[in-house]
Amino acid sequence: MLYTSLLPIILALAVASFFLGQRRAERVAQAAGGLRQLHSLPSHYGVFVALCCALPGFVVFLVWMACEEHVITAMVASGLPEALRNLPANELSLVINEIKNIAFGGFTAGGGNPAVEAAASSYLDHLHGLRNIVVAVAVVTCLLPGWWALGRIDKDLRARNLVEGMARVVLLGCATVAVLTTVGIVLSVVFEALRFFQSVSPSDFLFGLQWSPQIAMRADQVGSSGAFGAVPVFVGTFLIASIAMAVAIPVGLLSAIYLSEYAAPTLRSWAKPALEILAGIPTVVYGFFAALTVAPAIRDLGAMLGLSVASESALAAGLIMGVMIIPFVSSLSDDVIHAVPQSLRDGSLAMGATRFETIRHVVVPAALPGIVGSILLAISRAVGETMIVVMAAGLSANLSVNPLAAVTTVTVQIVTLLVGDQEFDSPKTLAAFALGLLLFFFTLILNFIALRVVRRYREHYE
Amino acid sequence: MTEQTFPLYGGKAASLQERLGDASPQERKTVGTPFVDDPRMTCREVDVFYGGKQAISKVSIDIGRNQVLAMIGPSGCGKSTFLRCLNRMNDTVGACRVEGEIRLDGINIYDPTVDVVPLRARVGMVFQKPNPFPKSIYDNVAYGPRIHGLTKDKNELDEIVETSLHKAGLWEEVKDRLREPGTGLSGGQQQRLCIARAIAVSPEVILMDEPCSALDPIATAKVEELIAELRTQYSIVIVTHAMQQASRVSQRTAYFHLGDLIEVGPTERIFTNPRHKLTEDYITGRFG
């Protein structure tokens, strides 16, 4: 099909126009008396022509991608018989779906309404017809500006500046895509969360001490009243994250200090990547290690000491999460400690400080912004980690700070709320978005603090 | 004569090497007066090797009390390396090996029983580039007294900080902002802060490795003034590239050349009447 090869066609036109532009610039240069007479290099002219050629066609393609669905649906809908067209909106969308299913040879509900069959074939006709038109339009929007650009080449055309300007636009476009995606994610979460807050009041959600997210199907159902207090879930999250950080910060930081200050370069060159492997182990592997090996071991140990330990404990999940996070702390801290100028170490050693005094009083304070940054990154990672806690921490939302009890976390709850068949108008499902929003806020605040800390200490050494 | 403007590089370097290759051991023996009465430090037959490469050979010199010894010489002649031997800062360089004997008040500092921590408290050092710690001005100066446990209480520490800053001629400029970071000072102030930091532990010898090379002329003048004052209490060894500076601040001058100590003598004599051909060539600007 011509349509699927539109992008390669545009690319080919761009390549061809690059060489045409370059060749033409060279010829212009010859006529003017040498390459030095040109304002820019021949390749600049080539890129200029190529961009003039490819960009408009590409934009046409993007615009069509964005609105193809709407245009064709509207055309097909207007061609439907009166009876179908006057259906309520949700039933009409069912019919449209049916049409699409038939058109693309997918699963159909059967029934074989001839009007729908006809609409399906007209759908395909419209699709193919319009796509061919789009290809033609795109090629024309490539060729016309390309031809125009080729004609503009002379020795005074400031192609280099034009290319620089276009490069800027392209870069800006990419940056915008990243930012807009973030904004889009936040907005979609915000709107769903707002829907949730229509049925559950924000104060109940933020300060409620009970979390049992279910909603009655029928009025007389047993246990029909759900409770959406997020406090136990967040307490669980922070409990596990604290345990993880209690493992990761000392181990990570001290091993970073060892690697950067004491270890011989050869040892460092293999020990550091080896430590980083920890970050490469899939979290699901950590998860079953925590759930099947560590949690029972902790329970047995607790039993020996006369403590009652839940078989899925916050301690097990937190410990293993801490191990997973060690490389985040150690690798980044090692880099920043390594970057502390040798002159500071020399200054301290020349005062008669020992190596460890130097590290404690001079090197670590100088590297503090980076170390804090690495720790905050690790905390964000701990708070957002899912798989380990799903497998090892349990599902029951106990309001407890006892590390031996089973607790649950925000991410675990989001997973359980959204796994399986869902209806997206019940508070039970929408609660996931509210949790996600709150979690997002927490990590945002953490990042904000991290930036402040880093900025405050950054000026302390050049 | 134009090639003289490219010291040690290009064609001139080769001819230098040739000249030294021809020179007999006799010619490379230290001339002048390397030894003094009642020295603070004595160095005898000091060799320094970086891996297999010899950086310094058979240097013997005394460091006198209450005087400034300037070490001059072309780049790479080993004067900084030698300076760093005097408080064993070369220990931090893995491949570095020091042979010979360096005594401080009669005790060999390379003796295995000698601990570098008290040694470095007695032989302080100021570096080429100001390197204040990322701490407040006060904490920078208090650093040494704190790690050596020199003070019993806060008042005593305050006093040490104040006198050290006074001695370094910095007190008037910073007395109202002792809590501000030391890195916020100007380059010259930072270097004087480093000097204050070094003298806060009351060393006997202060080593200075081109202390003014990163400073502007006014800051340099202040530091030179300071060195002249410090001489009354400390022995000072200064490495410098500026011969004018050596003649201004020092009482004795030592000329190093490609790892050898060529000539030592009273500064005035070295600059007016050098005895060795190499010294003469260097100070008259024929190379270096």
Side-chain angles (χ1 to χ4, degrees):
Chain A
M1 204 162 98
L2 208 51
Y3 180 70
T4 48
S5 48
L6 180 54
L7 275 184
I9 290 172
I10 293 177
L11 203 65
L13 286 174
V15 171
S17 51
F18 170 80
F19 286 111
L20 280 176
Q22 200 177 21
R23 178 84 57 78
R24 170 138 196 167
E26 279 161 4
R27 229 175 294 135
V28 168
Q30 253 170 11
L35 275 182
R36 311 216 79 179
Q37 302 303 317
L38 282 182
H39 173 271
S40 314
L41 293 176
S43 64
H44 285 130
Y45 292 95
V47 174
F48 168 66
V49 178
L51 283 175
C52 282
C53 169
L55 282 183
F58 190 62
V59 168
V60 167
F61 175 68
L62 282 186
V63 169
W64 176 249
M65 287 245 294
C67 56
E68 178 183 81
E69 185 80 36
H70 292 287
V71 173
I72 295 188
T73 309
M75 288 174 75
V76 170
S78 67
L80 283 175
E82 197 78 16
L84 285 175
R85 235 188 309 161
N86 292 339
L87 284 173
N90 53 352
E91 283 181 46
L92 184 63
S93 83
L94 277 179
V95 171
I96 299 280
N97 266 337
E98 181 77 14
I99 291 170
K100 278 191 214 159
N101 280 338
I102 294 171
F104 292 113
F107 159 84
T108 60
N113 184 339
V116 173
E117 300 274 356
S121 77
S122 89
Y123 184 96
L124 281 183
D125 288 346
H126 282 306
L127 189 68
H128 293 159
L130 282 173
R131 281 184 170 179
N132 284 337
I133 293 172
V134 167
V135 170
V137 170
V139 169
V140 170
T141 49
C142 281
L143 291 180
L144 280 182
W147 183 67
W148 170 81
L150 208 57
R152 279 199 58 193
I153 291 177
D154 69 57
K155 71 182 176 58
D156 293 324
L157 177 68
R158 296 155 68 87
R160 192 192 309 112
N161 310 40
L162 289 168
V163 169
E164 287 292 317
M166 283 191 243
R168 204 184 121 164
V169 171
V170 171
L171 296 180
L172 179 72
C174 291
T176 317
V177 167
V179 172
L180 286 185
T181 312
T182 315
V183 172
I185 292 173
V186 171
L187 283 184
S188 80
V189 172
V190 166
F191 283 122
E192 298 296 333
L194 285 180
R195 280 176 65 196
F196 170 74
F197 287 128
Q198 281 165 5
S199 46
V200 175
S201 86
S203 66
D204 282 354
F205 176 72
L206 289 176
F207 305 111
L209 300 181
Q210 181 104 41
W211 175 263
S212 80
Q214 67 260 359
I215 216 73
M217 296 283 187
R218 308 180 307 273
D220 58 342
Q221 199 176 346
V222 180
S224 60
S225 58
F228 292 94
V231 172
V233 182
F234 275 88
V235 168
T237 300
F238 291 120
L239 175 64
I240 290 184
S242 321
I243 296 171
M245 296 322 289
V247 174
I249 292 176
V251 176
L253 195 53
L254 296 181
S255 54
I257 289 172
Y258 174 75
L259 282 181
S260 56
E261 296 289 316
Y262 290 92
T266 44
L267 177 66
R268 182 172 184 262
S269 69
W270 70 259
K272 201 180 170 199
L275 203 58
E276 281 161 3
I277 288 176
L278 279 179
I281 298 175
T283 53
V284 67
V285 175
Y286 280 113
F288 66 69
F289 180 62
L292 302 180
T293 312
V294 178
I298 289 175
R299 189 191 53 209
D300 295 345
L301 193 69
M304 262 164 55
L305 298 171
L307 296 168
S308 89
V309 182
S311 58
E312 291 180 318
S313 60
L315 190 58
L319 285 178
I320 295 303
M321 196 193 281
V323 171
M324 183 197 81
I325 290 169
I326 286 171
F328 285 82
V329 180
S330 71
S331 194
L332 283 173
S333 299
D334 174 63
D335 287 341
V336 295
I337 290 173
H338 213 70
V340 171
Q342 182 63 29
S343 67
L344 287 183
R345 286 187 196 94
D346 282 348
S348 173
L349 292 172
M351 298 291 302
T354 62
R355 218 160 168 184
F356 190 67
E357 281 168 340
T358 300
I359 290 165
R360 200 153 54 96
H361 296 302
V362 175
V363 176
V364 169
L368 199 62
I371 293 174
V372 170
S374 74
I375 289 174
L376 285 167
L377 183 70
I379 293 178
S380 302
R381 189 66 213 262
V383 169
E385 168 52 39
T386 312
M387 213 58 220
I388 295 174
V389 278
V390 165
M391 295 170 85
L395 295 173
S396 50
N398 297 324
L399 181 54
S400 165
V401 289
N402 176 6
L404 303 178
V407 295
T408 192
T409 70
V410 176
T411 49
V412 170
Q413 288 308 313
I414 292 177
V415 168
T416 51
L417 290 172
L418 292 186
V419 167
D421 292 338
Q422 302 301 334
E423 39 177 346
F424 271 83
D425 50 0
S426 98
K428 175 176 183 279
T429 313
L430 293 174
F433 292 96
L435 286 176
L437 187 65
L438 201 52
L439 196 61
F440 174 72
F441 262 111
F442 273 115
T443 41
L444 196 68
I445 290 167
L446 271 182
N447 278 347
F448 180 71
I449 295 172
L451 276 182
R452 289 292 298 271
V453 169
V454 170
R455 202 172 300 151
R456 181 154 169 230
Y457 287 96
R458 181 180 290 154
E459 57 192 4
H460 280 200
Y461 76 91
E462 311 123 296
Chain B
M1 292 308 268
T2 47
E3 63 180 355
Q4 281 166 14
T5 52
F6 300 101
L8 280 180
Y9 300 107
K12 191 71 187 170
S15 69
L16 240 182
Q17 291 286 2
E18 274 164 33
R19 188 143 41 119
L20 289 169
D22 294 341
S24 67
Q26 198 62 35
E27 281 176 53
R28 315 221 47 196
K29 238 177 105 181
T30 309
V31 300
T33 49
F35 307 125
V36 298
D37 297 332
D38 187 27
R40 172 71 81 183
M41 294 185 88
T42 57
C43 311
R44 295 292 177 269
E45 310 261 293
V46 177
D47 290 317
V48 181
F49 302 88
Y50 285 118
K53 197 175 150 272
Q54 185 156 14
I56 286 185
S57 60
K58 301 279 176 265
V59 168
S60 298
I61 190 171
D62 284 349
I63 292 154
R65 289 173 199 275
N66 299 338
Q67 56 170 232
V68 180
L69 168 67
M71 303 203 289
I72 58 172
S75 298
C77 68
K79 53 198 190 305
S80 288
T81 300
F82 180 67
L83 189 77
R84 288 166 65 93
C85 290
L86 298 177
N87 68 345
R88 288 180 58 179
M89 278 303 282
N90 281 332
D91 289 13
T92 59
V93 182
C96 183
R97 185 161 51 87
V98 179
E99 284 170 10
E101 197 182 83
I102 300 178
R103 289 180 181 273
L104 171 62
D105 289 336
I107 295 157
N108 185 359
I109 64 171
Y110 279 91
D111 192 280
T113 57
V114 168
D115 187 7
V116 293
V117 167
L119 168 71
R120 287 181 188 155
R122 292 174 64 188
V123 183
M125 188 158 189
V126 176
F127 293 85
Q128 184 168 0
K129 224 182 122 211
N131 57 350
F133 301 137
K135 298 170 179 292
S136 71
I137 294 168
Y138 182 96
D139 288 337
N140 260 287
V141 183
Y143 185 78
R146 276 187 182 140
I147 57 172
H148 292 295
L150 298 182
T151 54
K152 284 195 289 293
D153 53 34
K154 179 94 174 60
N155 289 338
E156 225 175 312
L157 189 61
D158 287 348
E159 210 180 297
I160 289 188
V161 170
E162 189 179 336
T163 43
S164 305
L165 284 170
H166 265 303
K167 283 186 190 167
L170 197 59
W171 176 253
E172 290 303 320
E173 291 160 61
V174 301
K175 64 181 175 190
D176 298 323
R177 44 174 179 152
L178 291 175
R179 295 287 156 205
E180 284 172 34
T183 44
L185 297 172
S186 73
Q189 288 174 324
Q190 285 188 13
Q191 193 60 299
R192 279 180 286 147
L193 178 64
C194 292
I195 293 173
R197 186 175 72 189
I199 58 187
V201 290
S202 317
E204 293 152 38
V205 181
I206 302 176
L207 311 175
M208 297 186 173
D209 191 356
E210 298 181 39
C212 300
S213 64
L215 304 184
D216 65 67
I218 292 171
T220 300
K222 282 195 171 171
V223 171
E224 286 181 7
E225 227 172 87
L226 175 60
I227 291 171
E229 279 167 35
L230 293 175
R231 176 171 75 87
T232 57
Q233 295 174 55
Y234 309 97
S235 300
I236 295 174
V237 184
I238 179 171
V239 166
T240 178
H241 269 296
M243 280 180 279
Q244 293 297 322
Q245 184 172 59
S247 67
R248 280 193 299 262
V249 301
S250 70
Q251 283 70 51
R252 289 169 73 224
T253 296
Y255 174 66
F256 281 75
H257 192 96
L258 296 179
D260 291 303
L261 178 56
I262 300 297
E263 182 166 0
V264 190
T267 299
E268 214 187 309
R269 210 259 307 142
I270 292 276
F271 281 101
T272 53
N273 184 22
R275 286 182 195 158
H276 199 289
K277 179 81 171 64
L278 286 171
T279 318
E280 190 186 339
D281 286 354
Y282 182 70
I283 62 172
T284 53
R286 210 152 295 162
F287 65 84

